[in-house]
Amino acid sequence: MKNRNLTSIVFDDIRKKILNYQLLPGNRISDTEIAETMNISRSPVRQALFRLAEHGLIESRHNRGFIVKVFSAKEIEDLHVLREALELSAIDLVIENMTRETAQGLQHAVDRLKPLIDQNNLAEITNIDWQFHNLIIKGGGNTLMIEFYRSLQDRIKISFPHLQTPGPAMWEIYDEHKQILDNILYKNTAGAKYAMSSHLRGALEINLTATRKQKPQTP
């Protein structure tokens, strides 16, 4: 198998483990161990690790090799600024370009949250939450915005500590998504932007509070 294919396989495998929290911020990643486990040379492994570093998911530390990216409070705030700017701009576009398919997709995502909150299914709630936000970005129809948001999304995901969220907070998140949806469907741009901004800033405060309390995970 060519190195390029091996590099893609290693890249996808490590990326998936990071986004699924099998590898936590601060965890060391050994190119030697990966190569031995997959029975391949170190070359495609290192190429994959450098690609992951370019994507902002891992970083190289002096005398420690590669580790899963640890985000500072400042970096989290910087990510938030970019995310909020993109999503507020996307609201203008999605309202202007609304299709039946986009409207139904957004409604379905919000409706799916209710049973998942009752089940306390945090993993699937998180997936549906991202589906909702992605639908808004995609519904705007701006190809460059979609691509940039996709590149930003992985870093946003791993910047959130993997913490359990209490039930009452989940219902607040449901209400926030419902407010965003209702304002979009009624073409209330100002209301949708206000609801989105409040939702994202609330998530940011929760994230920053948790980040300051939680130490990076090490093997």
Side-chain angles (χ1 to χ4, degrees), residues 135-148:
L135 280 168
I136 292 174
I137 297 291
K138 291 178 181 177
N142 185 309
T143 303
L144 289 177
M145 181 182 287
I146 294 168
E147 291 177 357
F148 187 73

Side-chain angles (χ1 to χ4, degrees), residues 71-193:
F71 288 85
S72 67
K74 176 63 166 56
E75 288 173 318
I76 291 171
E77 290 174 332
D78 289 346
L79 284 170
H80 167 80
V81 169
L82 288 175
R83 180 184 184 182
E84 184 172 5
L86 285 173
E87 297 209 29
L88 294 186
S89 295
I91 285 175
D92 286 312
L93 295 174
V94 75
I95 289 177
E96 179 181 347
N97 300 290
M98 180 61 67
T99 65
R100 178 180 296 180
E101 181 182 7
T102 299
Q104 290 176 341
L106 291 169
Q107 184 68 64
H108 179 69
V110 171
D111 291 342
R112 283 283 293 130
L113 285 174
K114 276 189 173 182
L116 294 172
I117 293 172
D118 285 333
Q119 299 162 16
N120 197 31
N121 188 339
L122 182 59
E124 192 58 25
I125 289 169
T126 301
N127 289 336
I128 296 298
D129 174 68
W130 279 111
Q131 286 180 26
F132 179 85
H133 290 274
N134 276 312
L135 280 168
I136 292 174
I137 297 291
K138 291 178 181 177
N142 185 309
T143 303
L144 289 177
M145 181 182 287
I146 294 168
E147 291 177 357
F148 187 73
Y149 189 78
R150 186 184 299 121
S151 70
L152 190 68
Q153 193 174 101
D154 282 356
R155 277 176 278 183
I156 295 172
K157 285 180 179 180
I158 68 169
S159 73
F160 279 76
H162 192 223
L163 302 175
Q164 293 294 320
T165 306
M170 288 289 97
W171 284 111
E172 289 179 14
I173 291 173
Y174 167 79
D175 290 338
E176 290 167 0
H177 283 79
K178 184 73 164 55
Q179 290 172 25
I180 296 167
L181 171 64
D182 288 346
N183 280 287
I184 287 176
L185 294 181
Y186 284 105
K187 299 185 182 300
N188 181 355
T189 302
K193 287 185 175 182

Side-chain angles (χ1 to χ4, degrees), residues 13-28:
D13 181 64
I14 298 176
R15 174 181 174 272
K16 182 178 179 180
K17 288 177 179 177
I18 291 172
L19 295 179
N20 289 340
Y21 302 103
Q22 293 173 265
L23 291 170
L24 294 171
N27 280 172
R28 180 174 174 271

